[in-house]
């Protein structure tokens, strides 16, 4: 099965006072480098960006969002439209605790019948980022964008995505923790 990896790095970073989360440091590497290292088993790793100029120092394949400021659904659409792989593992650059074991587990779970595979925690909270999506969902993604429905949770419902409980995988939800504010970043650095 042909699976690429997509790292979302094009957010506005408003809760970070404009600091670009991709370039924050955790364990002596930038967030984005930590994520790219986790994804090293993929033949192709792409970075979804709002503006290629801001990320020109990265030596990776950059995909500029076709639809600006609509969140992850726009990045997924831009990727699916431009890339040849049948599936994509999608993560955000601000998920510093993501690990290879989690990614490998999901890659081994996906089947050709799956439109997407995502996880949920013990409180039934969905984690659309840190999931795998099929290229077959592209028409549904486009329809949702045209209808101004940008919620990935709705996308998962619309494609009848498979949802795996994190507890069944043996992972804690910390593996999918994302850092959205300066306070969360300070807490991460302390631990």
């Amino acid at each position: 099965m042909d699976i690429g990896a997509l790292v979302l790095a094009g957010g506005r970073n408003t809760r970070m006072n404009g600091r670009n989360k991709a370039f924050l440091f955790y364990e002596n590497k930038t967030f984005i480098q930590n994520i790219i290292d986790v994804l090293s088993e993929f033949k192709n790793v792409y970075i979804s960006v709002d503006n290629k100029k801001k990320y020109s120092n990265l030596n990776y394949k950059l995909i500029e969002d076709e639809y600006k400021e609509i969140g992850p659904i726009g990045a997924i659409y831009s990727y699916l439209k431009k890339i040849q792989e049948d599936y994509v593992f999608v993560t955000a650059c601000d998920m510093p605790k993501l690990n290879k074991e989690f990614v490998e587990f999901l890659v081994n779970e996906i089947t050709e019948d799956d439109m997407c595979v995502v996880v949920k925690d013990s409180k039934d909270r969905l984690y659309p980022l840190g999931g795998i999506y099929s290229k077959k969902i592209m028409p549904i993604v486009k329809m949702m964008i045209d209808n101004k429905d940008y919620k990935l949770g709705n996308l998962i419902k619309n494609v009848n995505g498979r949802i795996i409980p994190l507890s069944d995988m043996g992972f804690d939800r910390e593996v999918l923790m994302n850092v959205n504010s300066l306070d969360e970043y300070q807490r991460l650095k302390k631990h």
Side-chain angles (χ1 to χ4, degrees), residues 22-149:
F23 302 115
L24 295 176
F25 276 83
Y26 176 65
E27 296 185 344
N28 299 317
K29 290 189 275 191
T30 61
F31 275 18
I32 199 154
Q33 191 57 57
N34 274 304
I35 294 289
I36 289 168
D37 289 351
V38 166
L39 302 175
S40 64
E41 300 300 314
F42 288 96
K43 185 171 87 175
N44 290 310
V45 176
Y46 303 88
I47 314 292
S48 168
V49 299
D50 55 346
N51 182 331
K52 284 184 178 181
K53 289 178 188 166
K54 288 191 328 195
Y55 298 88
S56 60
N57 62 323
L58 294 177
N59 194 20
Y60 295 93
K61 299 168 186 152
L62 303 179
I63 296 177
E64 195 163 326
D65 295 341
E66 186 173 322
Y67 294 94
K68 308 286 186 197
E69 298 186 15
I70 64 169
I73 198 166
I76 291 170
Y77 176 77
S78 298
Y79 172 92
L80 294 174
K81 188 174 176 185
K82 294 176 182 165
I83 300 308
Q84 298 305 308
E85 289 91 355
D86 298 324
Y87 291 86
V88 59
F89 176 84
V90 180
T91 186
C93 70
D94 63 357
M95 297 169 68
K97 300 222 171 185
L98 187 71
N99 62 47
K100 287 185 182 207
E101 293 78 19
F102 175 86
V103 175
E104 187 176 302
F105 186 99
L106 269 193
V107 166
N108 290 327
E109 276 294 308
I110 194 87
T111 70
E112 290 185 14
D113 295 330
D114 289 317
M115 293 296 205
C116 77
V117 174
V118 296
V119 300
K120 68 177 180 176
D121 65 19
S122 59
K123 296 177 182 170
D124 286 337
R125 178 180 170 201
L126 277 181
Y127 289 83
L129 301 181
I132 298 178
Y133 296 84
S134 167
K135 193 168 182 118
K136 296 175 200 161
I137 68 170
M138 206 166 104
I140 295 167
V141 175
K142 178 68 167 112
M143 179 195 71
M144 288 179 63
I145 290 170
D146 290 346
N147 292 330
K148 298 187 179 353
D149 180 0

